[in-house]
Amino acid sequence: MAGRGDPPEGTPEGLPGGNDDEYRSVVFDESFVRAARLQEFSAQERMGDHARAVRSRPGRGMRTGPRHFLVLVLLIAMAFGTAVYMGVRHPYRPPETQPVQALRSMVVPLAPEGTVPGGEPAGLFARSPAADFGVGAAGITLPAVRHTKNFSDDQVMTALTIAKDYLVASSLDPAVLTEGAVRPVRVLLDPDQLNQFDRSMNAPEDDGRHAATGWLVRFDPDRIALAAPEVRVRGTLAFAEAGPDALEVTSDHTFAYTVQPAGKETGTPDAADGRAVDTASLFTVRRQLHFRFDRDDLRTHRAELLLSHVQAGPMSCSADAAALMEPLPAGRRATGEVPAGTDPYDTGRAAAAVCGTLATGTQPSG
């Protein structure tokens, strides 16, 4: 039978000497256990809520709490100061938005070399270079769309679409052409250009900045009416990136209208002898426009119109083309001297002139 203090199974085999006398010096006696800092709770104490298994003596780290708090406060202050400094002196500020430029425009009247031909609208188109043009907005086609370095396919398409919308509103909308409406065009312009636009509409001047016809095509409703609502169109649109934050679109389109004096109908009897007369004539306008779009313009569906070069005829060189288009009616001739002929159907470089003549072959043939 094992003695007190021996394991129930007896002394383990393999221990030197077969007894534990030599290990008594390392055995913790009762006085040593009672003096230990870390003591196990009794079973009764451990039954309490949230009781821990052992008692812990206070650690030395508790005495350094205020020092840690001070270091934390200093670190927060340093981080805040750095943030303020970087906000003021940060070398990588986002690029500033380029200011919107004012429109520069030129409107060139084109005088006929002889008498203005007349006829039925369909016949006038058929006998002119506009015979194969598209009709209305369908004649304004978009080029193949591809992304640029800083703009996606969708952004390029948006810029081209806004440019087309502007051309439709300013060149094809009947309310703008003959009823004096300006809102369909105005809502498509960058807000920073609205003051210039409004002044151009209210007090047009031939000063390269405030020609109403630099922004849109319009006729005097008291004098001119459309002989037919159909407008023939042909031209091109192109785009290019103008830096990391701007797209530019250029347009070059020729618009052919059939017009007649207001209040008359084509083929009505002449008041003098009762003969039927042709009162409709063909009026041609070539518009070369240069648009710019920043990212905000693309988001709000607005355009910045930077350049506008317009050639229109048949008109007399003396016409006030900055305010209104003043087509010469069928059977009339231009008054005053005119320079060499200008062809509005030629899509080459536009001539910089204050007046020109319609080149031979641009009017309907007899």
Side-chain angles (χ1 to χ4, degrees):
M1 181 175 178
R4 183 180 181 86
D6 294 331
E9 296 83 2
T11 302
E13 297 181 0
L15 294 178
N19 59 62
D20 59 353
D21 291 341
E22 58 184 298
Y23 300 103
R24 292 187 183 279
S25 61
V26 297
V27 174
F28 300 137
D29 59 16
E30 185 177 354
S31 62
F32 178 86
V33 172
R34 282 198 303 267
R37 293 281 187 150
L38 185 65
Q39 295 182 358
E40 183 178 8
F41 286 106
S42 67
Q44 183 65 32
E45 290 174 320
R46 287 199 298 266
M47 291 177 63
D49 292 339
H50 308 294
R52 293 178 296 174
V54 296
R55 296 188 181 95
S56 299
R57 63 181 179 177
R60 293 182 179 180
M62 296 297 290
R63 293 192 296 271
T64 62
R67 182 181 302 172
H68 287 173
F69 178 76
L70 179 60
V71 171
L72 180 61
V73 170
L74 290 175
L75 288 175
I76 294 175
M78 291 176 63
F80 180 76
T82 301
V84 172
Y85 176 82
M86 294 300 288
V88 175
R89 300 292 300 273
H90 199 291
Y92 301 106
R93 289 183 181 180
E96 295 182 359
T97 304
Q98 182 176 346
V100 176
Q101 301 178 31
L103 169 67
R104 291 179 293 158
S105 62
M106 175 179 287
V107 182
V108 181
L110 301 179
E113 293 183 320
T115 302
V116 177
E120 297 286 338
L124 293 171
F125 284 132
R127 304 195 310 270
S128 76
D132 298 326
F133 283 14
V135 177
I140 305 174
T141 57
L142 304 184
V145 174
R146 63 184 184 280
H147 67 273
T148 65
K149 180 179 179 180
N150 296 288
F151 292 89
S152 66
D153 292 355
D154 288 344
Q155 289 173 315
V156 172
M157 175 60 78
T158 298
L160 291 169
T161 300
I162 299 172
K164 177 176 179 176
D165 290 346
Y166 187 91
L167 288 168
V168 170
S170 62
S171 309
L172 300 176
D173 189 334
V176 173
L177 294 175
T178 59
E179 298 175 18
V182 298
R183 188 177 184 279
V185 179
R186 192 179 190 275
V187 297
L188 293 172
L189 288 170
D190 187 286
D192 288 341
Q193 287 191 312
L194 294 182
N195 287 338
Q196 184 187 12
F197 176 81
D198 292 341
R199 177 179 168 185
S200 301
M201 297 301 109
N202 298 325
E205 294 183 48
D206 186 14
D207 60 357
R209 289 289 189 273
H210 301 97
T213 48
W215 300 92
L216 49 80
V217 177
R218 68 175 182 178
F219 305 104
D220 184 348
D222 295 330
R223 297 181 54 200
I224 299 297
L226 294 176
E230 175 183 333
V231 180
R232 299 291 182 95
V233 188
R234 175 178 288 177
T236 60
L237 281 167
F239 65 90
E241 188 174 296
D245 296 295
L247 277 172
E248 292 186 350
V249 173
T250 55
S251 67
D252 187 352
H253 290 80
T254 299
F255 300 85
Y257 308 86
T258 53
V259 297
Q260 63 187 15
K264 292 188 178 181
E265 296 181 3
T266 301
T268 55
D270 183 85
D273 55 14
R275 291 183 300 107
V277 296
D278 294 323
T279 57
S281 60
L282 190 71
F283 187 75
T284 306
V285 180
R286 180 185 175 190
R287 305 184 74 198
Q288 294 172 290
L289 306 180
H290 188 165
F291 301 92
R292 180 182 180 274
F293 303 89
D294 59 27
R295 297 183 187 278
D296 190 53
D297 292 326
L298 297 177
R299 181 180 59 82
T300 58
H301 204 81
R302 303 287 178 86
E304 302 169 27
L305 183 57
L306 305 183
L307 296 171
S308 173
H309 191 282
V310 180
Q311 299 172 342
M315 287 197 293
S316 292
C317 289
S318 59
D320 183 11
L324 297 163
M325 301 294 184
E326 299 182 9
L328 286 169
R332 293 281 300 276
R333 302 175 67 94
T335 58
E337 295 184 1
V338 295
T342 302
D343 185 353
Y345 294 94
D346 179 7
T347 57
R349 183 176 180 181
V354 295
C355 189
T357 58
L358 285 168
T360 302
T362 60
Q363 287 288 279
S365 59

